[in-house]
Amino acid sequence: MSVRQDAILHLRRVYFSVGSLAYFIVGPSIVFGTVWLLRGGNALNANFFLGSALMLAVVAPSFDQMAIGLADDRHGPLEFRRERARLGARLWAWAGIAVGASLLVVIVAAVISPMSLGFLGWLRFLLALALGATPIGLAAVALSFWFPHDQVRRWGKIASFVLILGAGLVVPPFMLPGLLWRAANILPTRHYAEIVWSSGFGWVWPWASTLWLVLFAGVFAGAAIAGARRVYGDRAHGVAPVDGLP
């Protein structure tokens, strides 16, 4: 099977499963609709809630695909694939889930809210979403290497929950306790939110948050590379990692 076929297989498991479809594809639209109906407001408010929902569409499946799914692939029918092929298939699957969920969010937002973005506004949104997704994906891949396979699912779900809650993607930031919101500054999704929300409001691009995201991406990339070398270095020497990693 090719990378494309593997990616389609991963996507089918999400789009043809009621639970996964409801959580990853429909979930962000439900969150947007609920928050909008409860809070309402003008076009800028709608853009703000839209940005949060689009980030949720990207972040929610990230650890499911790039940490949990990738770790499962190393122990399942795809264990004989090259790591690059497994990674490519999961990356395409993550993109396919995020795009599907995002399109649904945009349709719902256009129907029930006065959200309004010009051409440049949409370009900024897309750039911000792609930029912020990079360190999140790298963090998920690193987690898949540094935790034993039987613990990746648990820690992946915990990491996803913390990143989503801390960034105010489900509960709006103005409804979070002040201490929690200030503590969330250490999370990459907090800075991810800054660049996406600034795009929705038409504010000046937040270069400080952009720098933080670049730094996070560098750290997580280094962790992922070190983890891969640790695992596959042990394999090359015929030594199984002591902590049960693949």
Side-chain angles (χ1 to χ4, degrees), residues 225-239:
I225 292 170
R229 287 179 174 174
R230 169 173 169 266
V231 170
Y232 290 103
D234 286 338
R235 276 189 173 183
H237 291 88
V239 178

Side-chain angles (χ1 to χ4, degrees), residues 7 11 20 36-37 42 48 54 70 76 85 92 104-105 119 166 183 193 206 221 238:
L11 286 170
S20 296
W36 176 253
L37 291 175
N42 56 25
F48 173 81
L54 290 175
L70 198 55
W92 279 112
L104 185 58
V105 167
F119 179 73

Side-chain angles (χ1 to χ4, degrees), residues 85-105:
R86 289 194 293 256
L87 183 61
R90 285 295 175 179
L91 185 60
W92 279 112
W94 178 26
I97 296 166
V99 168
S102 297
L103 289 174
L104 185 58
V105 167

Side-chain angles (χ1 to χ4, degrees), residues 144-207:
S144 77
F145 279 119
W146 284 99
F147 284 86
H149 176 237
D150 59 356
Q151 295 183 24
V152 170
R153 180 171 300 274
R154 178 178 62 188
W155 286 105
K157 289 182 179 296
I158 290 173
S160 181
F161 173 79
V162 170
L163 291 173
I164 289 171
L165 180 65
L169 304 187
V170 175
V171 180
F174 49 78
M175 297 176 64
L176 291 173
L179 180 61
L180 177 61
W181 184 239
R182 288 190 294 273
N185 280 316
I186 64 173
L187 300 175
T189 43
R190 176 67 177 82
H191 301 283
Y192 190 5
E194 288 296 327
I195 65 172
V196 172
W197 290 335
S198 71
S199 300
F201 283 125
W203 292 342
V204 175
W205 185 270
W207 292 106

